[in-house]
Amino acid sequence: MRRILILGATGSIGTSACDVVRSHPSDFCIAGLAVRSSREKAEALGREFDAPVFCGEDAAERAVRETDADLVLVSTVGLSGLAPTLAAIEKGMDVALATKEVLVAAGELVCARAKAQGVKIVPVDSEHSAIFQCLQDGAGWRGRGDVARLILTASGGPFLDGPADLSAVTPAQALDHPRWKMGPKVTVDSSTMMNKGFEILEARWLFDIPADRIDVVVHPESIVHSLVEFADGATLAQLSPPDMRVPIQYAFSWPARLPAERRRLDLPALASLTFRAPDETRFPCLRIVKDAARAGGTKTAALSAADEIAVARFLAGEIRYTDISRLVAAVVDAAPSLPCDSLENILVADAAGRKLAQEWKS
Ligand SMILES: NC(=O)c1ccc[n+]([C@@H]2O[C@H](COP(=O)([O-])OP(=O)(O)OC[C@H]3O[C@@H](n4cnc5c(N)ncnc54)[C@H](OP(=O)(O)O)[C@@H]3O)[C@@H](O)[C@H]2O)c1
């Protein structure tokens, strides 16, 4: 029986995680739940799973410190996942990580501390879970010399084929993802492809591979979740119908695979799977993330903070859709860069990024 602590239990990932636990009552139990403000929903879950409930801005970190668990699922939004992830590492608890901003902002720091403590960071994001699954052959999954390249697939989001002019895109249009039902921040990030840029950084740290050996290919059907090309020219991929319960369950059960009643792949019904190169002129966020990664230090922490504010300002009607990438690029350019070796430096970079992003004018 694996005891799981779920941070962000009422969100899209948290809800799927509860489903996975419900369908495997003799394999998993919920040791505790943390949310920010959805107290009633969280208390109902607490009663159902007989688990302590933590609410409030610092709930996630308190939950880690006060709960005994074998695995912590970090699935809050943005930098709120960082302090609880570091607290879990400090306590020696393995982490199933959904909140990609943790590695975008502080990958170097988090991975160094996890390595020092012997803590495993297991991916939940479907693309990273796919890569993780392709690397399960006993040779280890971090810093392998036989990996030539990682290939992340991207659905392309709602604006892959139009409209030609993205400046008039509304929040409702950006929130209407063709394949995945997710929280608002990650849905808007998917539409701008900032999400895919973040995933390059996430993969860079999870698998300890330089960002210039991580490519992106657009695959609108979202069936191939990502691929690993090996040094001998062989490429492995993981395929399944789009359903976040698959990678969440694997993060919980790894290295075992547990049975589950789920929709299976029907290849003849699919008939064809398509792939194309991403359009970095139409979606400049991919390039902006790669530039920030090259600059190193805390530039990516400022980038993550700027994106959070940019998405919030867009959803509030304050800036246009195309301003999201302009704002983020301007903030990354202006933000000072510190070494990514302490929580303090990450928080300084985050605060600077937020301030610049709030002040940015179109
Ligand atoms: N959704 C997906 O399919 C998907 C796929 C891959 C990766 N991810 C990543 O997973 C993370 C979560 O995404 P999501 O779509 O599940 O988000 P979401 O639906 O917006 O849910 C966020 C959850 O986190 C909680 N939360 C927010 N701030 C918190 C804090 N300070 N302390 C404790 N709990 C807090 C929220 O509680 P309240 O309801 O009380 O605010 C809610 O339960 C994101 O980083 C996203 O990029 C998501």
Side-chain angles (χ1 to χ4, degrees), residues 8 10-13 36-38 57 76 98-101 125 182-183:
T10 49
S12 158
I13 293 285
R36 185 176 42 195
S37 50
S38 318
E57 206 50 54
T76 64
T99 311
K100 56 194 83 190
E101 294 88 346
D125 223 347
M182 310 181 283

Side-chain angles (χ1 to χ4, degrees), residues 306 309-310 313 318-320 322-331 334 353-362:
I309 300 293
R313 288 185 65 182
E318 278 177 46
I319 62 172
R320 285 177 308 176
T322 39
D323 287 338
I324 295 176
S325 57
R326 295 178 57 222
L327 180 161
V328 174
V331 171
R354 274 168 209 277
K355 183 164 184 296
L356 288 164
Q358 289 289 9
E359 290 166 357
W360 186 86
K361 288 195 178 63
S362 174

Side-chain angles (χ1 to χ4, degrees), residues 2-134:
R2 223 167 194 184
R3 297 164 304 164
I4 298 164
L5 170 60
I6 302 186
L7 312 180
T10 49
S12 158
I13 293 285
T15 300
S16 296
C18 290
D19 261 3
V20 167
V21 174
R22 249 179 228 116
S23 59
H24 296 84
S26 52
D27 299 288
F28 310 126
C29 66
I30 298 184
L33 307 153
V35 301
R36 185 176 42 195
S37 50
S38 318
R39 180 179 287 277
E40 265 177 46
K41 278 192 201 163
E43 282 176 350
L45 289 171
R47 281 191 296 278
E48 178 187 348
F49 291 103
D50 193 19
V53 172
F54 298 81
C55 293
E57 206 50 54
D58 66 342
E61 193 177 346
R62 271 191 294 122
V64 171
R65 297 204 185 281
E66 294 173 23
T67 310
D68 268 336
D70 303 305
L71 184 71
V72 183
L73 170 65
V74 180
S75 59
T76 64
V77 181
L79 205 68
S80 69
L82 179 58
T85 301
L86 292 175
I89 293 170
E90 194 185 309
K91 245 181 120 175
M93 287 153 93
D94 285 344
V95 174
L97 186 65
T99 311
K100 56 194 83 190
E101 294 88 346
V102 168
L103 293 180
V104 171
E108 193 176 343
L109 172 72
V110 168
C111 290
R113 293 217 181 151
K115 192 172 171 195
Q117 287 286 100
V119 162
K120 294 184 189 70
I121 312 260
V122 177
V124 167
D125 223 347
S126 55
E127 294 79 358
H128 304 77
S129 176
I131 292 166
F132 184 59
Q133 292 179 56
C134 292

Side-chain angles (χ1 to χ4, degrees), residues 42-334:
E43 282 176 350
L45 289 171
R47 281 191 296 278
E48 178 187 348
F49 291 103
D50 193 19
V53 172
F54 298 81
C55 293
E57 206 50 54
D58 66 342
E61 193 177 346
R62 271 191 294 122
V64 171
R65 297 204 185 281
E66 294 173 23
T67 310
D68 268 336
D70 303 305
L71 184 71
V72 183
L73 170 65
V74 180
S75 59
T76 64
V77 181
L79 205 68
S80 69
L82 179 58
T85 301
L86 292 175
I89 293 170
E90 194 185 309
K91 245 181 120 175
M93 287 153 93
D94 285 344
V95 174
L97 186 65
T99 311
K100 56 194 83 190
E101 294 88 346
V102 168
L103 293 180
V104 171
E108 193 176 343
L109 172 72
V110 168
C111 290
R113 293 217 181 151
K115 192 172 171 195
Q117 287 286 100
V119 162
K120 294 184 189 70
I121 312 260
V122 177
V124 167
D125 223 347
S126 55
E127 294 79 358
H128 304 77
S129 176
I131 292 166
F132 184 59
Q133 292 179 56
C134 292
L135 294 175
Q136 297 299 316
D137 60 0
W141 45 278
R142 285 182 51 78
R144 283 175 57 155
D146 60 352
V147 172
R149 184 163 76 108
L150 304 181
I151 304 164
L152 296 169
T153 52
S155 69
F159 310 127
L160 181 59
D161 294 314
D165 176 13
L166 290 171
S167 62
V169 161
T170 64
Q173 289 172 308
L175 289 170
D176 189 17
H177 195 280
R179 298 277 165 205
W180 299 95
K181 269 256 136 308
M182 310 181 283
K185 159 79 164 46
V186 64
T187 305
V188 175
D189 282 345
S190 292
S191 76
T192 60
M193 290 199 76
M194 182 63 89
N195 182 54
K196 209 48 57 179
F198 283 179
E199 288 177 6
I200 293 178
L201 293 172
E202 201 183 352
R204 187 259 169 276
W205 293 113
L206 278 170
F207 303 109
D208 193 15
I209 187 165
D212 61 8
R213 280 170 41 211
I214 305 172
D215 289 340
V216 172
V217 64
V218 174
H219 167 49
E221 295 85 1
S222 298
I223 295 292
V224 177
H225 296 299
S226 279
L227 311 92
V228 179
E229 182 186 299
F230 290 91
D232 61 359
T235 299
L236 297 189
Q238 185 260 328
L239 289 73
S240 52
D243 180 343
M244 282 309 293
R245 290 172 305 174
V246 176
I248 293 169
Q249 180 175 312
Y250 190 67
F252 289 178
S253 70
W254 171 81
R257 279 189 192 275
L258 298 178
E261 294 288 323
R262 282 197 194 113
R263 193 157 69 87
R264 306 281 150 158
L265 261 194
D266 181 350
L267 290 173
L270 281 168
S272 67
L273 297 174
T274 60
F275 302 91
R276 55 178 122 156
D279 180 345
E280 292 194 17
T281 312
R282 200 167 148 74
F283 298 104
C285 290
L286 270 181
R287 184 184 38 75
I288 295 167
V289 175
K290 285 187 207 158
D291 289 348
R294 234 171 269 122
T298 55
K299 282 280 186 189
T300 56
L303 174 137
S304 180
D307 178 61
E308 205 173 314
I309 300 293
V311 169
R313 288 185 65 182
F314 163 67
L315 291 177
E318 278 177 46
I319 62 172
R320 285 177 308 176
Y321 183 75
T322 39
D323 287 338
I324 295 176
S325 57
R326 295 178 57 222
L327 180 161
V328 174
V331 171
V332 171
D333 219 28

